Amino acid sequence: MTKLSVNINKIATLRNARGGDVPSVTQVALDLERFGAQGITIHPRPDERHITRKDVYDLKPLVKTEFNIEGNPHRPFIDMVLEVKPEQVTLVPDSDNAITSNAGWDCEKNLDFLKSVISEFKDAGIRTSIFLDPNPEMVKFASETGADRIELYTEAYAKHYFQNKEFAVESYFKTAVVASEYGLGINAGHDLSLENLKYFADNIPNLLEVSIGHALISEALYLGLENTVQAYLKRLAVW
């Protein structure tokens, strides 16, 4: 079964546009779980332009499903994750000023660094996933980092889905097959939506989790949050 983890960064972005606590990040997280989401994802950045450090600490005691914290593993991020101890940390090599994540790790080039960081998280009992482009040749090095999972960066899939969905998913399928051979769990996320999710999930073997934020929150403006979560779960054949 593929689990749905909802990224709530966009809720924090909307709140921060006016200040105060409307909409409430914590209440939305609780509601998402009540509506059926099987995880809550956040991606705090150093400038706190959406999720803040306070949000991270406020959410930890409330999330009862899976708490997944994404981010570039600078020292302050590492220390915060080690203190909060989420169920999963997802390492993403985005620059501090990136609007959104835009590339996976070069695990060969960053092997020693990733090994060191991941060992800290593993010692603390935190499952570790690393953001990866759909490149089967990179999986070997991802495995050598000691990570438990990879998260396939799915922007390219979403971009090419409507032109040629078979082509769009091909490199992801090949990467997932190799990852399974190395014993790595497979997550995925970025630009997945109600339109393109089912085909992706149907064609990626051993897909354990998808993390979806921007599209889900945008679609909820029309469908409502509960209806949207249920629609995503149906795409994943949960119901």
Side-chain angles (χ1 to χ4, degrees), residues 33 37-40 62-67 87:
E33 290 186 321
Q38 295 131 325
I40 300 296
L62 299 179
V63 174
K64 302 305 180 187
T65 55
E66 178 193 273
F67 195 22
E87 283 71 30

Side-chain angles (χ1 to χ4, degrees), residues 41-201:
T41 292
I42 57 173
H43 189 143
R45 288 185 164 88
D47 61 7
E48 298 191 320
R49 64 180 180 270
H50 34 64
I51 291 292
T52 67
R53 288 181 64 88
K54 182 178 184 300
D55 291 328
V56 178
Y57 290 95
D58 287 348
L59 285 163
K60 172 56 182 175
L62 299 179
V63 174
K64 302 305 180 187
T65 55
E66 178 193 273
F67 195 22
N68 174 43
I69 303 180
E70 299 180 342
N72 195 327
H74 299 316
R75 192 70 243 174
F77 176 85
I78 294 170
D79 291 341
M80 178 177 66
V81 172
L82 290 173
E83 185 175 354
V84 173
K85 287 191 170 70
E87 283 71 30
Q88 178 173 266
V89 59
T90 300
L91 308 184
V92 184
D94 55 356
S95 61
D96 292 348
N97 62 352
I99 295 176
T100 186
S101 305
N102 54 25
W105 285 98
D106 182 335
C107 296
E108 182 178 13
K109 180 179 179 182
N110 295 282
L111 183 58
D112 290 340
F113 171 70
L114 289 169
K115 272 183 166 181
S116 175
V117 171
I118 288 169
S119 68
E120 290 193 63
F121 293 133
K122 292 188 79 170
D123 288 344
I126 302 169
R127 186 173 74 234
T128 305
S129 177
I130 51 178
F131 210 49
L132 203 70
D133 294 320
N135 179 357
E137 295 181 0
M138 193 57 65
V139 173
K140 171 182 180 293
F141 301 103
S143 175
E144 291 177 5
T145 67
D148 301 293
R149 298 186 183 184
I150 59 170
E151 179 173 326
L152 293 170
Y153 171 43
T154 49
E155 181 185 28
Y157 166 77
K159 181 178 180 181
H160 295 104
Y161 174 79
F162 289 106
Q163 290 96 4
N164 186 333
K165 61 185 179 182
E166 292 84 3
F167 168 78
V169 84
E170 183 179 8
S171 61
Y172 292 90
F173 171 78
K174 291 179 178 178
T175 304
V177 168
V178 176
S180 295
E181 291 172 352
Y182 277 93
L184 290 166
I186 300 163
N187 298 342
H190 202 93
D191 290 346
L192 294 174
S193 68
L194 284 176
E195 292 181 309
N196 62 38
L197 176 61
K198 180 171 174 52
Y199 185 80
F200 185 85

